[in-house]
Amino acid sequence: MTYCVAMRLADGLVFASDSRTNAGFDQISTFRKMHVFEKPGERELVLLSAGNLATSQSVISLLERRAGTDVHNVLSTGSMFETAEIVGQTMREVIRRDNPDGKLGHVDFSCSLILGGQIRGEEPRLFNIYPEGNFIEATEETPFFQVGESKYGKPILDRVINYRTPLNRAYQCALISFDSTMKSNLSVGMPIDVAIYQRDALKPCFTERVEENSIYFHELRQQWHEGIQVLFNQLEPPELAPR
Amino acid sequence: MTYCVAMRLADGLVFASDSRTNAGFDQISTFRKMHVFEKPGERELVLLSAGNLATSQSVISLLERRAGTDVHNVLSTGSMFETAEIVGQTMREVIRRDNPDGKLGHVDFSCSLILGGQIRGEEPRLFNIYPEGNFIEATEETPFFQVGESKYGKPILDRVINYRTPLNRAYQCALISFDSTMKSNLSVGMPIDVAIYQRDALKPCFTERVEENSIYFHELRQQWHEGIQVLFNQLEPPELAPR
């Protein structure tokens, strides 16, 4: 399983992804699910992936191999929209390659991607690319996307994140969202890769790999867990009588 | 969709279920998903259901029709374990009736049930009955079960509920768990049916139907939502520099 979240905020973009991959509970590995494509001064792109690892790795390899060639590619597009089109097309191409006549219906070749970034001349933009290769774009009203095991970590995002949330606060909220997810699904696991893009910077993101032994993350988890219990205990206890 | 949660605690049992049923987004109805079987002074049983409504209604109807007859039934069993066996068998019987040769593979006839209660001479017990009719029992280490749309509302239960949580606090936590779920899945909806069984009472549960216009629930949701934001804002904001 996988959990990835990305946010498009007034100040820039925040990305976070776990790094556990499993094919059955006895085959667990660590793979980076965050990939960066960049041309400093001109564009900064981040791609997060969930789903079939063979598919997503092939998509990334093809995007990387074509970047910088004469083919229309993620480093030559004129807009983030066009970039999302290329990523979606590449995903369809890989799935067609691996399941040409659609007969392997019992195997799930699909993956879900989040693409975010900025190309000079445009605002930062964020896209959720579906397994079919089509996509939707984040707006001020819907500033975040999740892929993979998204439900456990959604309530805290819903309650805290809005378009005006500062980048460091959004990063902190993403870590709490990961904490809630990892408590419930063992197949989402550390380390957590984080990338933060400052609006209009057009240079490499601030990146961090939050490891199992991170003191900051350990303290944050504990503070949050205890804070929730204190908050709960402060509520007026209900009487068990009809109201 | 449906969301049901039940807890087995030192002081007794807590049950809560939503009441929205939908077959597509334009066919939404309200159905009670909580059913009580009782013989005051001897047994008190509560059954929560999620999944195919035709199946769960038939299961309930058969259990009700047989209760009090000469057939081995939920009011004549000597233990909660036997009662869970009867419920599981009745579910298999209904699914066999509706899909006799298993050919309607594209239709999901299954349902998931939670059965809790107490029979004189035993402790209060709680069972999660799977779509296959087999079941597991709650323990002190795993004091709650959820069926239906369970993920959004699980983190708060994980953080707050343990075997020693008082009944009124557990009820309050269940309502917060419903709040988080209903914010994210519109097909889980009010009113919420609640039943609280005091250990060794062997008489009808305290029951309540929390309606859309409940002032208590409205205030609790708001207090919790604001409390989470205050708690988050009190955290030390992280610096965006490598640690």
Side-chain angles (χ1 to χ4, degrees), chain B residues 50-52 55 59 87-96 108-114 128-136 146-148:
Chain B
N52 187 303
T55 300
V59 170
V87 174
Q89 278 160 16
T90 309
M91 183 159 66
R92 281 193 288 256
E93 174 188 340
V94 170
I95 293 176
R96 257 199 318 272
D108 187 0
F109 288 96
S110 74
C111 67
S112 298
L113 302 169
I114 296 179
N128 187 355
I129 304 176
Y130 294 119
E132 294 75 18
N134 56 349
F135 47 84
I136 57 170
Q146 302 169 285
V147 290

Side-chain angles (χ1 to χ4, degrees), chain B residues 113-184:
Chain B
L113 302 169
I114 296 179
L115 170 72
Q118 186 172 16
I119 294 176
R120 200 173 49 213
E122 279 198 331
E123 299 281 291
R125 297 173 74 176
L126 183 68
F127 295 89
N128 187 355
I129 304 176
Y130 294 119
E132 294 75 18
N134 56 349
F135 47 84
I136 57 170
E137 184 170 3
T139 62
E140 290 196 23
E141 293 73 40
T142 308
F144 67 85
F145 289 136
Q146 302 169 285
V147 290
E149 178 60 281
S150 60
K151 294 185 178 184
Y152 299 114
K154 185 160 180 287
I156 182 63
L157 299 173
D158 281 334
R159 294 190 193 273
V160 166
I161 298 298
N162 65 65
Y163 185 66
R164 301 276 155 213
T165 307
L167 297 179
N168 62 342
R169 286 299 198 170
Y171 163 46
Q172 194 171 30
C173 184
L175 291 183
I176 295 171
S177 175
F178 269 86
D179 179 37
S180 296
T181 307
M182 292 189 299
K183 264 192 199 318
S184 287

Side-chain angles (χ1 to χ4, degrees), chain B residues 10 29 37 42 46-47 60 67 81 108-109 138 151 158 177 189 219:
Chain B
S29 326
F37 297 86
E42 203 220 74
V46 178
L47 193 59
I60 303 291
F81 181 87
D108 187 0
F109 288 96
K151 294 185 178 184
D158 281 334
S177 175
E219 284 176 0

Side-chain angles (χ1 to χ4, degrees), chain A residues 109-125:
Chain A
F109 288 95
S110 74
C111 66
S112 298
L113 303 168
I114 297 179
L115 170 73
Q118 185 171 19
I119 294 177
R120 200 172 51 213
E122 277 197 334
E123 299 282 290
R125 296 172 75 176

